[in-house]
Amino acid sequence: MSLSIIAFLVLVAAFAIGSFTKINAGLLATVAAFGVGTLLAGMSIKDVIGQFPAGLFFILVGATLLFAIVRINGTIDLLAYWAERLAGDRKILVPVLMFLLTAALASAGAFTPAAIAIVAPVGLALGMRFGISTLAMGLVIVQGANAGAFSPVNPFGVLANKMLEDAGATDGSFKLYAYCFIFNAVLAAIAYVLVQAIMKRRAAKEQERLQAGEAGEAQHDGGAAAPAVNGAPGPSGSGTAVLTAPAQTSVAAGSTTRTGPEKVAATPMRILTLVGIAALLVLTTVLGIDVGVASLIIATVLIVLDSGVQKPAVESMPWSAIILVTGIVTYVGMLEEMGALKELQEGIAGLGNSSLAALITSYVVAIVSAFASTTGTLGVISPVVAPIAMDPLLTPIGVVTAIAISSSVVDVSPMSTSGALLMASAQPKDERMFFRALLLWAIAMIAVVPLLVWFVFVQLGLG
């Protein structure tokens, strides 16, 4: 067994232990990186430390600190109030608005984690008010970011267009963006309908169980248990409010109806916070400043203006998620440094069959991107893609589109930056539930999407 295979198996083991126990997989991966890197690969400790993703760490810390402040000072409530007024009683508009908002930010050049960090807290809060599953809303938001991620001005789009240029298809930029947008829009709709249906069924079963329990208790002692409202039990039970938090309600004459939005004041601090969010977009898209650095600058300014938010903001940051993501990415960096990823690329390039190579490459980028940076994955795999896309039997736009979608559709993974930010936007008590749900969705995407996009864009030659 080669060292590369052993190294990959160690990563799988760390991931499995972290998934099924309370041990942080990132912590395990960090320790494993030192063990495998120094004992098996002959790397120095300094070389292993050098694989720590400092840039990703600053993105996570900066973005989560900034939007912890946004959440604490009530700015998210203000945005949710405005969005709720815009949606009115049209519940279906809520996920549509959140999808389009995130897609617009990404299309304008916002790095996908920044777009998700901006929209997710608002979208999840708004979804709860309308009785929409926070998981369904989160998936819609991530797909919105992916929909706009391959515009020519987005970092993902820049890398994908470089692949097109290397393959001689310099005129395929708009088609790449359009295909990715449409695919993610359809996937967002499927995710929303599917998750909503699952949660509605679970809520109904929970309600039946509670009613049966109340009936049995009433027959036993002649009393009645505390009533349940919107599928959430009274003081004597435990409901399914984790993913199906009810909308704002008022109970009258035995019926439950959603009232109008509760007004949220536009205080000077909240207006300044909104200006800070707008400044984040300008700094990252126009001036090209790193998302993490820009977020830290704006967060510091807001703390100086209102120092009272510093302590609760820092304490509410998802440090376990940050350790999880950076630990996994550190291990992947160690794999690249020891040559395991290069060995994988050479194996793909040596297949001989370009169509089969495109399919395998799509699966490889999906798996790797689920644990690491999509930008880094696209950069690493780029030399492998160009020769495949230049095959006269295939279309360059088809090959690049399949690989682009495969690499980004798994960004919902809790080990990726986007998935971690989505976890950070959820309520703290829901963190492990979100981790498992996002993990299952990412596994489904890895299993299905690469094969689907390969068939549509590579085999059918769409493009």
Side-chain angles (χ1 to χ4, degrees), residues 18 39 57 84 87 106 131 137 144 237 239 244 266 271 273 304 316-317 353 375 407-408 435 437:
L39 298 179
F57 176 79
E84 189 171 4
M137 186 64 75
T244 54
I271 296 299
T273 303
V304 170
S316 66
M317 288 172 63
N353 186 319
T375 308
S407 66
S408 61
F435 178 86

Side-chain angles (χ1 to χ4, degrees), residues 91-366:
K91 178 179 178 178
I92 192 59
L93 280 185
V94 177
V96 173
L97 287 172
M98 295 300 103
F99 175 88
L100 292 177
L101 176 58
T102 319
L105 293 173
S107 298
F111 194 52
T112 50
I116 293 170
I118 291 170
V119 179
V122 178
L124 268 60
L126 189 58
M128 291 177 67
R129 294 192 183 191
F130 276 81
I132 298 174
S133 162
T134 52
L135 177 60
M137 186 64 75
L139 291 175
V140 166
I141 290 169
V142 173
Q143 296 312 137
N146 289 339
F150 288 93
S151 77
V153 297
N154 191 283
F156 287 8
V158 171
L159 289 169
N161 285 321
K162 180 65 169 56
M163 296 182 197
L164 288 175
E165 292 176 7
D166 292 342
T170 56
D171 59 344
S173 177
F174 178 76
K175 285 185 178 180
L176 172 67
Y177 172 59
Y179 291 156
C180 291
F181 193 101
I182 294 171
F183 184 90
N184 281 284
V186 173
L187 186 58
I190 294 173
Y192 178 81
V193 172
L194 180 63
V195 174
Q196 280 288 90
I198 291 173
M199 298 315 303
K200 184 177 181 180
R201 189 179 301 114
R202 287 185 178 181
K205 289 182 178 179
E206 180 69 9
Q207 183 71 10
E208 291 176 1
R209 186 187 69 80
L210 290 171
Q211 289 176 348
E214 290 170 359
E217 185 178 345
Q219 292 176 356
H220 179 71
D221 59 18
V229 179
N230 282 357
S236 62
S238 61
T240 56
V242 170
L243 284 181
T244 54
Q248 194 174 3
T249 57
S250 62
V251 181
S255 63
T256 303
T257 58
R258 198 179 70 83
T259 66
E262 187 175 323
K263 186 175 181 179
V264 178
T267 63
M269 194 60 205
R270 289 169 182 168
I271 296 299
L272 287 173
T273 303
L274 291 176
V275 172
I277 295 175
L280 175 63
L281 294 177
V282 174
L283 291 173
T284 55
T285 61
V286 178
L287 302 180
I289 297 177
D290 180 82
V291 173
V293 174
S295 299
L296 283 172
I297 293 172
I298 296 169
T300 302
V301 171
L302 293 176
I303 289 173
V304 170
L305 295 174
D306 182 11
S307 60
V309 301
Q310 176 179 292
K311 188 174 186 295
V314 172
E315 289 178 347
S316 66
M317 288 172 63
W319 292 108
S320 61
I322 292 172
I323 293 173
L324 177 67
V325 174
T326 54
I328 294 291
V329 175
T330 298
Y331 194 93
V332 173
M334 184 276 301
L335 287 177
E336 183 176 0
E337 183 68 17
M338 69 178 287
L341 293 184
K342 184 178 180 180
E343 184 178 327
L344 183 63
Q345 293 171 12
E346 291 174 349
I348 293 174
L351 288 174
N353 186 319
S354 295
S355 179
L356 178 60
L359 175 61
I360 293 177
T361 303
S362 296
Y363 271 106
V364 169
V365 296

